Amino acid sequence: MTETDEDDAANPTGAAEKGGDSPSRLGRVLLGIGLAAQASEDFRDMDDTIEYAESAGVPLPEVAAPLASGTMVAAGVGVALWRLPRIATGAAVTFLVGVTATMHDFWNADEDDKSGERLAFFGNLAMLGGALVFLREAYK
């Protein structure tokens, strides 16, 4: 059994104490809240979210949009509470890698939409950076 396996066996919830200093903890909470809050906004008007996904060419948008939004809410809560951190941060990274360039391709957007898409792209890029830092933390 490796050291990581022993750590996981001793702490099955994944509530790691590694990187438990205050700035790191605050960063995880802020990132997690941001991820969950942004994704929960999609649920407020799921019809628009599905329509947006459909316009971007997402297959089965009526399934993919709610599934992606739900995954991000769960990932955000997991990051904020640092529960199952490998799964939570991995889900956030996977979502952000897949969505950022495909849904917020400002370089292909109409002039009216370009500014908003650019803002969303770089916002997602910043969240991806934070999620990658904490994904690494989850594997220490």
Side-chain angles (χ1 to χ4, degrees), residues 43 62 78 84 100 110 121 129:
F43 284 113
E62 62 283 344
L84 302 173
T100 300
D110 297 333
F121 178 87

Side-chain angles (χ1 to χ4, degrees), residues 49-113:
T49 302
I50 291 168
E51 185 179 314
Y52 184 65
E54 189 172 34
S55 73
V58 173
L60 298 170
E62 62 283 344
V63 174
L67 180 63
S69 297
T71 299
M72 280 306 289
V73 168
V77 170
V79 169
L81 298 176
W82 208 236
R83 298 292 184 239
L84 302 173
R86 292 176 181 179
I87 294 170
T89 56
V93 166
T94 301
F95 173 87
L96 289 165
V97 164
V99 164
T100 300
T102 57
M103 297 297 291
H104 302 299
D105 57 342
F106 64 90
W107 51 91
N108 291 323
D110 297 333
E111 278 306 312
D112 293 342
D113 299 329

